[in-house]
Amino acid sequence: MANTFVTAKAIAERALPHLVERIKMLPLIEFGTYNGTFRKWGDTIQVRKPQRGDTVDGSSDISSAYQDISDDVVEIVLNNQRAYPVKLTSKEKTLNLDDFTRQISVPAMTKLAEYANAQVLNLYKDIPYFYGTSGTTPSSLADIANARKILQDNLAPEGNRSFIFDSAAEAKLLQLSNFAEIDKAGTNIALRNALLGRVYNTLMASDSQVPTHTAGGYSALADVTITTGASGASSIVLTSSAGTSTAKLEEGDIFSIDGYQFVVTAQTAAASSGVVTAAIYPALPMAYGDFSSAAVTFPDVSAGGHVPNLMFNKSAFTIAMAPLAPADGVDSAVVSFNGFSIRVVRGYDMDNDINKLRFDILFGVKTLYPELATRVLG
């Protein structure tokens, strides 16, 4: 007979801590706490972001220099509703709550957490700053130090820094003698299996979900110059001297002009006779004609892409969750705690005589401060 104690609410209460524990990036980034009403996919919410103000000369009149912290909010689109559906056999229906959690809930939370973690890592597409060589795995303290220099130059706070890299970089870095023992690097359970230690006041951890960026075909060109763009422009025109390319640039493609680094913020249209218009970040610091060299350099010109290992301060990225509305007419529960939320729904398909269960989460991710992160190309 069915176990009447294994209700949707009981399942959700047991499942939520396992979800939180398994999102590897969660301890390393800002969590945008949201305590509002039920939401649905596509809704936009506002959460507070860390303030990054500036100091002023205190010996003079500062009446016009006060900084309004109410502006330090960010809108996050809840465009990730992820479900884990499962059929329940007669055997699972008779499990006690401990066994149900171990056999059903924990695997479900692991998969949901992996999806959420991947969405955070995909925020690399917002980061224009980079160090290294595409296609060459970072393998030395020099790689770490030079990535750190970018954060230093961008005035990133010294604390709460992390370097997350793929398994290829892990294999290289593990051969260095400078990494501290794992027990000196922190105690967070969700990260412990991936921790390598702390170097240059930066937490080092591997993550198997670090993606690979496949660059657009236009970035394979070595004869490109910037031909249009005013100072402060966030859209520019690039031209290939050969005048034949019809390739595109992809969101997340990176390039440099005269030492300044940029990222393409949206996929472009196909080039027309080698000319392409691209939305970029950051905005041009000067008009295109004022650069000492108009040449555009794509780091992916040879490799065709790169592994975007990330070094960042905690305030670079955020994730926020919101509660979904409970389902009507079935055993359904929504459990929330400290901004985290999960919905569990149990149902029955009478046409096919199947008992069903689904776990749902609703969340959004966002880059708060691109200047607080850099890619370390692999």
Side-chain angles (χ1 to χ4, degrees):
M1 61 179 290
N3 188 337
T4 58
F5 294 102
V6 184
T7 63
K9 182 178 181 181
I11 294 170
E13 289 175 340
R14 287 289 191 95
L16 186 57
H18 290 284
L19 173 68
V20 175
E21 180 182 286
R22 283 164 171 75
I23 302 176
K24 289 184 178 181
M25 289 289 287
L26 190 58
L28 307 180
I29 63 174
E30 297 290 344
F31 180 68
T33 303
Y34 171 74
N35 294 317
T37 58
F38 294 120
R39 293 288 177 172
K40 64 181 184 297
W41 183 91
D43 282 352
T44 299
I45 62 173
Q46 284 191 336
V47 298
R48 184 75 60 189
K49 68 176 182 179
Q51 188 179 20
R52 296 201 77 215
D54 204 354
T55 61
V56 297
D57 181 2
S59 65
S60 59
D61 181 7
I62 64 170
S63 59
S64 62
Y66 284 93
Q67 298 160 92
D68 189 353
I69 64 171
S70 64
D71 292 337
D72 286 333
V73 295
V74 61
E75 290 191 343
I76 298 180
V77 180
L78 300 171
N79 55 1
N80 290 284
Q81 180 180 345
R82 203 65 179 177
Y84 186 96
V86 62
K87 296 178 183 178
L88 298 180
T89 67
S90 298
K91 178 180 179 182
E92 280 94 30
K93 289 174 61 181
T94 62
L95 293 173
N96 62 41
L97 186 55
D98 288 339
D99 289 338
F100 191 96
T101 299
R102 177 174 54 83
Q103 295 185 28
I104 306 297
S105 299
V106 170
M109 295 307 99
T110 299
K111 288 299 181 181
L112 290 175
E114 287 175 354
Y115 180 83
N117 196 66
Q119 303 318 299
V120 176
L121 289 169
N122 277 331
L123 291 175
Y124 80 85
K125 293 180 181 180
D126 298 333
I127 307 304
Y129 311 104
F130 60 90
Y131 172 80
T133 303
S134 296
T136 301
T137 301
S139 59
S140 69
L141 289 178
D143 292 324
I144 301 171
N146 282 293
R148 173 185 164 84
K149 180 181 183 300
I150 293 176
L151 296 189
Q152 297 292 93
D153 291 345
N154 286 341
L155 304 181
E158 288 279 355
N160 294 316
R161 291 184 181 181
S162 302
F163 180 26
I164 304 301
F165 39 81
D166 71 347
S167 59
E170 178 190 42
K172 294 285 188 179
L173 295 174
L174 279 174
Q175 299 176 49
L176 301 178
S177 60
N178 302 72
F179 282 94
E181 294 86 352
I182 189 171
D183 61 352
K184 294 182 182 178
T187 59
N188 187 277
I189 296 174
L191 288 168
R192 178 164 290 279
N193 289 337
L195 284 172
L196 272 71
R198 189 174 292 275
V199 175
Y200 303 143
N201 198 30
T202 301
L203 178 71
M204 305 284 158
S206 66
D207 194 319
S208 60
Q209 291 187 283
V210 171
T212 297
H213 178 74
T214 301
Y218 197 86
S219 68
L221 304 177
D223 61 346
V224 175
T225 58
I226 180 172
T227 52
T228 302
S231 176
S234 58
S235 178
I236 62 173
V237 175
L238 306 178
T239 301
S240 167
S241 61
T244 58
S245 176
T246 58
K248 297 179 181 180
L249 287 170
E250 297 292 336
E251 179 186 5
D253 281 354
I254 47 180
F255 62 93
S256 60
I257 304 173
D258 197 19
Y260 295 93
Q261 297 179 333
F262 303 91
V263 63
V264 178
T265 58
Q267 184 189 65
T268 70
S272 176
S273 300
V275 180
V276 68
T277 300
I280 63 165
Y281 180 87
L284 288 184
M286 64 191 76
Y288 79 98
D290 292 333
F291 286 105
S292 61
S293 171
V296 176
T297 301
F298 296 102
D300 293 328
V301 64
S302 298
H306 62 272
V307 175
N309 304 294
L310 282 173
M311 183 179 290
F312 56 93
N313 172 266
K314 183 173 185 175
S315 295
F317 309 111
T318 190
I319 182 173
M321 287 188 171
L324 286 157
D328 296 329
V330 292
D331 182 18
S332 175
V334 179
V335 171
S336 300
F337 181 73
N338 283 351
F340 300 97
S341 185
I342 191 167
R343 183 180 69 181
V344 173
V345 180
R346 297 201 312 170
Y348 176 70
D349 180 354
M350 66 176 66
D351 293 330
N352 297 294
D353 192 25
I354 297 172
N355 289 281
K356 296 180 177 180
L357 176 74
R358 62 181 288 169
F359 301 85
D360 283 89
I361 57 174
L362 178 66
F363 70 97
V365 298
K366 193 175 184 70
T367 300
L368 297 178
Y369 295 108
E371 64 272 20
L372 300 187
T374 185
R375 307 187 202 190
V376 184
L377 307 184

